[in-house]
Amino acid sequence: MPSSTKYIFVTGGVTSSLGKGIIAASLAKLLQARGYSVTIQKLDPYINVDPGTLNPYEHGECFVTDDGAETDLDLGHYERFLNVSTSKANNVTTGRIYQYVIDKEREGAYLGKTVQVIPHITDEIKRRIKLLGNTGNYDIVITEIGGTVGDIESLPYVEAVRQLKWEPNFDCIVLHLTLVPFLAASGELKTKPTQHSVKQLLESGVQPDILALRTEHKLTQGVKEKVALFCNIAPEAVIQAIDASSIYDVPNLMKAEGLDKVVLDKLSLPHNEEPLLTAWNKVLDKIKNPKHTVNIGLVGKYIELKDSYKSIAEAIIHAGANNETKVNIHWIHSEGVNNDNAAEKLSNLDGILVAPGFGERGIEGKIATIKYAREKQIPFFGICLGMQAAVIEFARNVLNHADSHSTEMEANTTNPVIYLMEEQRAITEKGGTMRLGAYPCKILENSNVFDAYNETNISERHRHRYEFNNKYKEEFETAGMKATGINPDNNLVEIVEIEDHPWFVGVQFHPEYKSTVINPHPLFVNFIKASSLVKEQNMQTASN
Ligand code: GLN
C-alpha cells in the first residue's frame, strides 16, 4: 500500500538565499489551489535548539506560531501564502534533534548501543519528517532543508532523504533549487554551478527529480535542455525561477512553468482542475495598481537587516493592498532619533510604526519618535517593545514621572511602568522561556482596535517577558492613555490607546504574525487607512 501522504523535499545548491522558502510556499499555494491540503516544514541544520536565542542580525526575524514555537522566518512565508497556521512540528533544528537523541540516551532508551549519526540521528530526522504526514491532515508535506547541499551540517538531512527515497511505501520527490548565473562579460548564462551542485547531491546518493533554476534572465530552451541532459532530468522538469518584482508573483510564475503539474505527475496525483488563484490575483492586482501613496516610518534598531522585520513589512504590503495604497516604508534607525532631530527625521511621514525589540540600544530614539508622533498627531502603531516605549514616553512626558522606564533597561527605576511579569521572575534560562504563542484578549467596544477587529474577543501571538505595570493603570487612564485590550485570564494590559489622537495604538502582542495575503491584519489595515486619511487632511489644510 502506498503511503497516503506524499512528500516533497526542497533542497538548495550553489549559494544560500536563493529563495527556497518562497519556491516551497509558491508550490504549496498552487497545490492548495488545486484542492490538496498541504503543509510546509523547515529543517534547519544549525545547533541552536530554536532560533529564539538568535540575534536578528543572524537570520532575520524569529517567527512565532500559535502553539508558542519560536521558528525560522520562512514559516511566516508559509502562513502568508497558504493562509493556514503552522506549529512546533513545522520547524526542526539539528539542536532539537540532538537534544532529543541525547535525552533518550541518558534515559537508557538505546539499551547499551553506540549512539551514532546513522542510524540514530537520521532516524530522528525521518521521524520528525513523518510527524506531520502521520497527523492525517495533509495530502502533501513539503519539507524544506535549510542551508546548501555540500555543507557538512546538511549531510545527515540529505542522508535521511536518501534513505526515505528507498523506503517502501514512502512516496517522495526531491526538488533542487540552484542558481544559473549570468556572466555579463561573455553575455552568457552558465549552467556549470548547477551541474556541480547536482553532482554533489548524487555523491550523497540523491537524484533530484525536479530542478528549479534561479536566474536573473530568461532561460532559453537550450539552457534547460543542457541542464536536463547533464543532470539526468526530463527537460519539462527543469523549471525557470526568474527574479520577480514581488514574491507574491512567484506562484503565477511557477504555474506558467508547469511546476505543479510536473510535481503531481511525479507523485502520481491527478491534476484535472487548473489552479485559478482568483482571490490571490485580486490582491496582487491591488499591490501592482495602487490608487494612493502613503509614507510610513518603520523605526527599529535592526534595520540594517530588513529581514529582522519581515512579517511587519509583509503585513504592511497586505494592508496597503487592502487600502489600494502603495506604502513607502522609510526604514529609520532608532539610534539616530532624538528630541532635537525628530522633526527633521520624521516630519515627512504619514504614519509611524515603532518596532519590537530587546535591550537598551535604541530605546531612547524610540521614545523620542513616539513623543513626536503623539504631539504632532501622526498615526502611531507600537508593537511589543514599541507599545512599551509608548507607555514609558507617556509616563515621562504626560504623567511627568521623568525617571519612568522599563526594568528591562533600568532595573532600579523608581517608576517601573513596564516590569517583569510575575511568571518570569524565577526564570533564568533564556531559550523558549518568554511568554510565547497565542493568548486571548478582550477589547473595549469604544476603541480604535474594536473598529478594526469588529469583535471583542480576539487571540494574538506573544513574545515578551515584560508587561504594563497595572499599579499605574488608573493614572494613565485619567491622563488619556486607555487600556483598550486586556487578557481576561490574568488582567495583563495588551493594548493601549490615546483618545485625543487620530490613531495611536500600542499592542503588547505581535499582530504581524497573523497577517496573510488573503487575510490582511485588521490593525495594519486600519493603521494604513488612518495614515492615508491624515495625509489627505493635511494636504487639504495646506492647499486652503
Ligand atoms: N523586550 C521586551 C520584552 O521582553 C519586548 C519584546 C518584543 O518586542 N518582542 O517584554
Side-chain angles (χ1 to χ4, degrees), residues 363-392:
I363 185 72
E364 291 304 325
K366 286 186 172 174
I367 293 169
T369 300
I370 295 165
K371 179 171 191 283
Y372 186 83
R374 180 178 57 77
E375 290 178 347
K376 301 288 172 199
Q377 304 270 299
I378 301 172
F380 164 79
F381 194 10
I383 299 182
C384 209
L385 184 61
M387 171 267 201
Q388 297 175 354
V391 168
I392 298 165

Side-chain angles (χ1 to χ4, degrees), residues 233-299:
I233 288 181
E236 67 273 14
V238 178
I239 303 291
Q240 162 183 285
I242 199 159
D243 288 2
S245 59
S246 159
I247 54 170
Y248 301 126
D249 270 330
V250 180
N252 287 311
L253 294 173
M254 291 299 108
K255 183 182 161 194
E257 284 287 302
L259 174 64
D260 51 332
K261 278 193 188 157
V262 174
V263 163
L264 291 169
D265 280 339
K266 291 198 180 282
L267 291 173
S268 312
L269 290 170
H271 50 75
N272 311 328
E273 301 283 310
E274 278 296 303
L276 289 176
L277 298 177
T278 316
W280 180 273
N281 283 333
K282 255 192 202 151
V283 179
L284 198 55
D285 188 54
K286 285 188 182 172
I287 293 176
K288 298 203 162 170
N289 301 298
K291 300 203 170 103
H292 326 271
T293 310
V294 55
N295 292 296
I296 299 293
L298 197 164
V299 183

Side-chain angles (χ1 to χ4, degrees), residues 356-359 383-385 388 408 463-466 508 510:
F358 294 84
I383 299 182
C384 209
L385 184 61
Q388 297 175 354
E408 178 181 8
R463 182 172 188 249
H464 63 116
R465 294 184 203 282
Y466 295 82
Q508 185 58 78
H510 291 262

Side-chain angles (χ1 to χ4, degrees), residues 32-46:
Q32 184 193 52
R34 286 178 178 276
Y36 292 102
S37 68
V38 191
T39 191
I40 318 180
Q41 177 187 46
K42 173 99 188 265
L43 304 181
D44 274 313
Y46 52 71

